[in-house]
Amino acid sequence: MARPRKQTYTLDMYLKKKKKGDIDNKADVQRNFVWNYEQINELIVTVLTDDYIPPIILGEEENSKLHIVDGGCRTAALEKFRYGNHKITSSIENPLILYKKKAVDRNGNTTYEDAVFNIKNKTYEKLPEELKEKFDEYQIETVIHESCDSFKISRYIKRYNNHVAMNTDQKAFTYIDKFASRIRHILNSRFFVECNNYSEKDKLRGVTERIVIESMMCMNHFDNWKTQPKAACKFLNSNATEGEFEKFEENLHRLELIIKKDIKDIFNKKDSFVFLTLFDKFTGLGMEDIKFAEFLRVFQNELRHVKRNEKGLLFDEIDKNSGTKDKQVILDKLDMLESLLLEFLRMDNQRICDSSVERFIAENLDMNIEIVKFDMDFYRESLSELLEKTVRIDSKLRNAQNRPSLLAMMVYSYQQDRDLDEWMADYAKKNNTYFADQKQNYLYMKQDFAQYCRRTKINCKTI
């Protein structure tokens, strides 16, 4: 059998041959046009930037008629733009096309100037003449199998289309090129190999990459939560930091030491990012990691089967009427889990925590510790009411590790005889993190409160 021959056409020539019927795109077994607007946009940009398009595969009958074997959707998309008045959609990612604009100087000489054209919402007819020429003169490569009949053409169609297209998760991952190698490294960790309930199929289909993306968004950028994987990847590519990935990887290594077979099923493809976020919050409590594993056992065996939230739902019922990736659903899950976790830990640690916080307040506000102890319940209730009114539930300012400095500010406000409500709302808008050193954090908030008082002309005592 002779090797297929290669043939290069200008795009104008190729499409005209298709229009005349010399090239046919209607083989009996050929699939219908299935491309979306995004795919058409990208193909047109590829042509106008003179980038690479893989060869179109053709089958040639004895009478020289050509049938498209592979490349039918590409051909149809190019036809739609060239002859079908197809408009590039406003969602196109890279709408600015650089080109050389032809001009004539005062002496009648032709010159070429650098120019930019925005193709958003444009049809072929709306392109400048230079870009129309560029489109028509684009070199389209073809590979032609000779001496074909309908049987051979069908066989070639089956051969060249025997592949699996990228799914949503896999395609989304191409938009986080800045951190892709870091994520691949993370996926080789023992947590993603052993300490979970992900199937081999999940790993092949890009599910584990999505779990990393969701976790990074939920842990560090929940204000900008994106439901769609592609949007999340694009956001992280521009806004994530190496430090955030380092902290995530450290958390995984800590989990690897405590997650055993009896609780690894909790980390499934649906809720992994929620529990990984919960553990990130837990690390701020300064407690032994084994306590988190103990909580997961109690949750798996008992708490998961008890209706606990204000709507009287089980944990697994929270998303029954909404998408599992809806922001409010995630907030509700985290709120329930945080409450259950703190309630579980309080059994063993409330007295220790109380004592530590009381000493912190007494030392930093120069108070008698017995007086602090006497009013502690009042301060806690006041702080809870303040946070409920002014700070979002997902804000890191609410982390238990940050509670000593917040309580100190509450006590300080009573000393100053000033409400913190307006200041705290303003502060929470500007800050979603805190200093791990609680004395440093308290002094920082105290200074910000003084600046707020001066800015808003609140008559505070000397601070």
Side-chain angles (χ1 to χ4, degrees):
M1 181 182 295
R3 290 174 60 84
R5 73 176 190 270
K6 296 181 179 180
Q7 175 74 52
T8 300
Y9 300 97
T10 64
L11 187 50
D12 178 62
M13 183 187 301
Y14 175 79
L15 293 179
K16 282 180 177 177
K17 290 177 75 67
K18 164 65 177 64
K19 198 173 182 181
K20 290 190 299 181
D22 295 336
I23 297 176
D24 177 63
N25 196 20
K26 298 179 180 178
D28 293 339
V29 297
Q30 186 66 273
R31 66 176 177 174
N32 294 323
F33 184 73
V34 294
W35 277 23
N36 56 36
Y37 289 120
E38 179 185 356
Q39 291 170 296
I40 299 176
N41 288 346
E42 289 299 321
L43 182 65
I44 304 308
V45 169
T46 300
V47 172
L48 293 178
T49 57
D50 202 27
D51 214 335
Y52 179 72
I53 295 176
I56 291 174
I57 312 299
L58 304 172
E60 185 180 52
E61 293 183 313
E62 293 293 346
N63 61 9
S64 298
K65 184 167 184 175
L66 297 166
H67 297 268
I68 297 176
V69 170
D70 183 58
C73 288
R74 278 171 281 166
T75 300
L78 293 167
E79 275 191 300
K80 283 177 180 290
F81 184 70
R82 180 62 180 84
Y83 300 118
N85 203 37
H86 175 83
K87 183 184 294 185
I88 299 296
T89 64
S90 58
S91 63
I92 186 170
E93 288 191 45
N94 304 298
L96 301 180
I97 305 297
L98 303 176
Y99 71 102
K100 293 292 184 180
K101 184 176 182 180
K102 189 183 297 184
V104 179
D105 63 19
R106 65 180 63 183
N107 298 319
N109 299 317
T110 300
T111 61
Y112 295 89
E113 303 171 352
D114 291 332
V116 178
F117 186 75
N118 190 333
I119 63 172
K120 187 180 293 186
N121 296 319
K122 301 296 192 301
T123 63
Y124 172 87
E125 295 301 328
K126 295 294 184 181
L127 298 180
E129 289 301 318
E130 293 86 352
L131 286 182
K132 288 181 181 178
E133 289 179 9
K134 194 169 188 178
F135 183 90
D136 291 339
E137 293 173 2
Y138 181 84
Q139 301 291 291
I140 194 84
E141 298 178 6
T142 67
V143 174
I144 302 173
H145 290 275
E146 300 175 342
S147 304
C148 288
D149 55 19
S150 60
F151 173 78
K152 284 185 178 180
I153 290 171
S154 296
R155 187 177 65 186
Y156 285 134
I157 289 175
K158 181 169 62 176
R159 175 189 298 174
Y160 286 109
N161 289 276
N162 187 22
H163 64 271
V164 179
M166 278 187 170
N167 62 29
T168 301
D169 291 334
Q170 292 165 335
K171 188 170 184 180
F173 193 67
T174 65
Y175 289 88
I176 194 168
D177 53 283
K178 184 177 177 181
F179 298 104
S181 62
R182 186 66 184 266
I183 294 172
R184 294 293 191 199
H185 174 73
I186 288 173
L187 294 179
N188 287 326
S189 67
R190 182 168 164 259
F191 176 87
F192 277 97
V193 174
E194 301 177 13
C195 306
N196 57 72
N197 189 32
Y198 317 138
S199 69
E200 289 304 313
K201 186 176 181 181
D202 290 336
K203 296 173 183 178
L204 290 174
R205 292 182 57 79
V207 171
T208 49
E209 286 87 344
R210 172 172 55 78
I211 289 168
V212 174
I213 300 302
E214 291 170 343
S215 300
M216 293 296 294
M217 285 295 297
C218 197
M219 287 167 51
N220 304 293
H221 304 278
F222 194 70
D223 285 349
N224 295 286
W225 176 258
K226 312 294 183 185
T227 304
Q228 297 302 318
K230 174 183 170 181
C233 286
K234 291 175 69 175
F235 180 87
L236 289 177
N237 207 48
S238 300
N239 297 280
T241 66
E242 284 292 339
E244 291 169 354
F245 278 96
E246 288 172 6
K247 178 63 164 61
F248 181 59
E249 197 164 1
E250 177 189 338
N251 286 354
L252 294 180
H253 292 324
R254 290 170 64 170
L255 285 168
E256 291 167 1
L257 300 176
I258 61 172
I259 301 301
K260 307 301 179 184
K261 289 183 178 180
D262 61 324
I263 52 176
K264 74 174 188 176
D265 285 357
I266 285 177
F267 294 93
N268 55 50
K269 64 182 180 182
K270 177 183 173 184
D271 289 320
S272 273
F273 75 98
V274 176
F275 286 96
L276 289 170
T277 301
L278 182 68
F279 181 71
D280 186 63
K281 293 176 180 291
F282 169 84
T283 61
L285 300 178
M287 305 184 70
E288 294 182 5
D289 292 346
I290 193 65
K291 286 292 183 183
F292 188 76
E294 291 174 3
F295 166 73
L296 292 183
R297 287 188 175 88
V298 173
F299 174 78
Q300 182 82 319
N301 298 323
E302 301 175 23
L303 301 178
R304 190 164 207 155
H305 311 293
V306 178
K307 296 182 182 294
R308 293 300 300 260
N309 80 341
E310 60 184 19
K311 298 177 183 177
L313 297 174
L314 300 173
F315 175 81
D316 294 308
E317 293 176 336
I318 291 177
D319 55 21
K320 68 178 182 179
N321 294 320
S322 304
T324 58
K325 300 300 185 292
D326 286 357
K327 190 172 185 179
Q328 188 59 51
V329 168
I330 298 166
L331 278 175
D332 290 344
K333 286 185 175 182
L334 279 173
D335 186 34
M336 177 187 283
L337 289 171
E338 284 187 68
S339 297
L340 293 172
L341 175 62
L342 292 174
E343 181 179 316
F344 171 80
L345 296 174
R346 193 175 295 123
M347 297 175 186
D348 295 327
N349 297 282
Q350 187 62 55
R351 183 182 299 177
I352 297 173
C353 292
D354 285 350
S355 176
S356 176
V357 173
E358 289 159 0
R359 284 197 303 273
F360 177 85
I361 293 172
E363 291 171 2
N364 284 282
L365 283 89
D366 195 23
M367 297 175 65
N368 184 300
I369 194 169
E370 295 304 320
I371 295 176
V372 176
K373 289 179 179 179
F374 183 80
D375 292 325
M376 203 63 199
D377 287 341
F378 172 71
Y379 295 140
R380 278 202 171 85
E381 289 176 9
S382 298
L383 179 61
S384 295
E385 292 176 4
L386 175 68
L387 296 179
E388 187 68 28
K389 290 187 291 185
T390 60
V391 182
R392 293 187 303 274
I393 186 67
D394 60 306
S395 174
K396 291 184 180 180
L397 296 176
R398 285 176 171 255
N399 283 8
Q401 187 181 15
N402 194 37
R403 194 52 58 97
S405 59
L406 288 172
L407 282 166
M409 278 302 298
M410 180 56 63
V411 176
Y412 180 74
S413 73
Y414 282 111
Q415 288 184 344
Q416 293 291 308
D417 193 25
R418 294 295 173 189
D419 290 336
L420 294 180
D421 296 46
E422 293 182 2
W423 166 77
M424 180 57 81
D426 178 74
Y427 185 81
K429 286 181 181 178
K430 301 182 297 183
N431 299 275
N432 189 36
T433 57
Y434 55 88
F435 296 106
D437 183 332
Q438 285 296 282
K439 182 173 182 179
Q440 182 183 3
N441 198 64
Y442 165 64
L443 293 175
Y444 180 80
M445 288 194 291
K446 183 178 172 183
Q447 181 183 35
D448 191 88
F449 180 57
Q451 293 172 347
Y452 180 82
C453 289
R454 288 192 291 270
R455 189 170 69 250
T456 57
K457 297 183 171 33
I458 295 176
N459 185 25
C460 298
K461 297 179 182 178
T462 302
I463 299 177

